[in-house]
Amino acid sequence: MGVCTCFETLVTLLAWCGWRPATYDFPPTIFGGDLLESPHGALTVRELTMPSFRLIGLLQNSRNGEEVVLKQDLAERLFREALQTLIKPCALYDEVWCRVEDNSWINNTSMPYDDGYQWRKYGDKKTSGTDFSRSNFRCTYKEEYECKAKKVVQQTSDGDTPLFQVTYTNKHTCNFCKTISPPTSQSSSFGSIEKDSGINQMPDSMPQLLINQGSCLVDANNLREIYTSASMVERNCEWDLDSLLMDLVGFVSDDYLLS
DNA sequence: CATATTTGACCGTA
DNA sequence: TACGGTCAAATATG
């Protein structure tokens, strides 16, 4: 498993667990630049898109102007952050999805994140009643695939934990770079939690991504089975996290030593 | 040079 | 006429 595949795998797993990488997908001015700190302050991540994880961008940056840390150390930090998030995903991201109309979803989040699609900003408006501007995005592949998907990002509050309202309209028809999308009524797992008051969390179903593992494609569900030990299952726990960590760090370390 | 963002102009709606 | 969504030329970025 090469290093990029390793990271793509990790990001896929994280996406499934609700982890949200920091990106500059949203107006950089909000954060004063294109380097964002993840909310729990573990890493600065740059130029992260899913599923094409831009490893170079990640490795080029470290916190607080430090010299780039040792690659293996950086990898371990990333994975440890990931594991912490695997254990407590909901505590880190108190986000809520609300359905507005049939083709429209609102996501209130303290952390705008790369949702796996590629967007192009086409407008920025000052709106009445708020000091924050509203950013309009359309799918990058609007022309190519006649994709009508759009999203609007509106910061709704300031302070230590600013809030953002992200409105998605129309489903993607491009089927390009899809990882996580607003929940759909067709989502089987989503139906079970769509009960009270129209407020929902993201569905917890594994994204149906195929992960390029060497020469063969492996369904993400298979990966989960690999890293789920019998004892963990018995205790109704999720993952054999230590095994996952050691394997991932091992993959990355090997690649670093070769480069 | 290709692609993305910024930003004022334009236009539809209420 | 105010507001907000979109366009598109200018500008930035890699």
Side-chain angles (χ1 to χ4, degrees), chain A residues 96-110:
Chain A
V96 175
W97 288 87
C98 300
R99 178 176 232 147
V100 185
E101 295 169 13
D102 280 352
N103 62 344
S104 185
W105 287 89
I106 288 179
N107 177 23
N108 291 295
T109 177
S110 58

Side-chain angles (χ1 to χ4, degrees), chain A residues 23 25 48-51 97 113-120 137-141 147 149 151 168 170-182 184:
Chain A
T23 75
D25 188 38
L48 175 60
T49 59
M50 291 187 283
W97 288 87
Y113 52 83
D114 186 336
D115 54 28
Y117 290 101
Q118 289 183 253
W119 302 95
R120 175 168 298 185
F137 299 83
R138 51 114 167 142
C139 179
T140 296
Y141 306 99
C147 184
K151 76 173 176 181
Y168 291 85
N170 298 326
K171 290 174 64 175
H172 282 266
T173 54
C174 55
N175 288 325
F176 207 86
C177 287
K178 176 172 167 45
T179 52
I180 281 188
S181 62
T184 66

Side-chain angles (χ1 to χ4, degrees), chain A residues 83-97:
Chain A
L83 293 178
Q84 289 171 7
T85 311
L86 284 168
I87 297 167
K88 278 190 173 180
C90 295
L92 292 171
Y93 297 95
D94 183 22
E95 73 174 28
V96 175
W97 288 87

Side-chain angles (χ1 to χ4, degrees), chain A residues 41-194:
Chain A
L43 281 174
T44 298
V45 183
R46 184 186 180 192
E47 288 200 342
L48 175 60
T49 59
M50 291 187 283
S52 300
F53 194 90
R54 296 179 185 173
L55 182 60
I56 299 302
L58 173 71
L59 295 178
Q60 280 174 344
N61 297 288
S62 58
R63 300 177 64 194
N64 304 324
E66 295 169 349
E67 291 300 313
V68 174
V69 295
L70 289 174
K71 294 173 180 177
Q72 182 171 345
D73 181 48
L74 180 58
E76 289 185 8
R77 286 169 60 187
L78 173 62
F79 293 146
R80 292 206 176 280
E81 176 192 7
L83 293 178
Q84 289 171 7
T85 311
L86 284 168
I87 297 167
K88 278 190 173 180
C90 295
L92 292 171
Y93 297 95
D94 183 22
E95 73 174 28
V96 175
W97 288 87
C98 300
R99 178 176 232 147
V100 185
E101 295 169 13
D102 280 352
N103 62 344
S104 185
W105 287 89
I106 288 179
N107 177 23
N108 291 295
T109 177
S110 58
M111 185 60 200
Y113 52 83
D114 186 336
D115 54 28
Y117 290 101
Q118 289 183 253
W119 302 95
R120 175 168 298 185
K121 188 174 180 178
Y122 66 89
D124 195 84
K125 266 291 179 202
K126 272 297 237 180
T127 51
S128 62
T130 173
D131 291 334
F132 309 113
S133 64
R134 173 178 299 174
S135 299
N136 297 277
F137 299 83
R138 51 114 167 142
C139 179
T140 296
Y141 306 99
K142 177 178 181 240
E143 290 88 6
E144 196 173 348
Y145 295 97
E146 297 182 358
C147 184
K148 294 183 170 60
K150 290 190 291 189
K151 76 173 176 181
V152 178
V153 179
Q154 173 77 67
Q155 187 172 356
T156 54
S157 71
D158 211 348
D160 291 339
T161 55
L163 286 174
F164 300 85
Q165 184 176 80
V166 186
T167 304
Y168 291 85
T169 306
N170 298 326
K171 290 174 64 175
H172 282 266
T173 54
C174 55
N175 288 325
F176 207 86
C177 287
K178 176 172 167 45
T179 52
I180 281 188
S181 62
T184 66
S185 56
Q186 289 78 26
S187 168
S188 57
S189 65
F190 178 72
S192 61
I193 57 176
E194 188 182 17

Side-chain angles (χ1 to χ4, degrees), chain A residues 6-16 19 21 48-50 53:
Chain A
C6 172
F7 270 85
E8 287 181 11
T9 301
L10 177 65
V11 169
T12 302
L13 297 174
L14 297 181
W16 175 63
W19 185 77
L48 175 60
T49 59
M50 291 187 283
F53 194 90

Side-chain angles (χ1 to χ4, degrees), chain A residues 237-249:
Chain A
C237 296
E238 292 282 321
W239 294 72
D240 186 343
L241 300 179
D242 287 338
S243 301
L244 177 60
L245 171 68
M246 294 311 296
D247 283 356
L248 290 175
V249 171

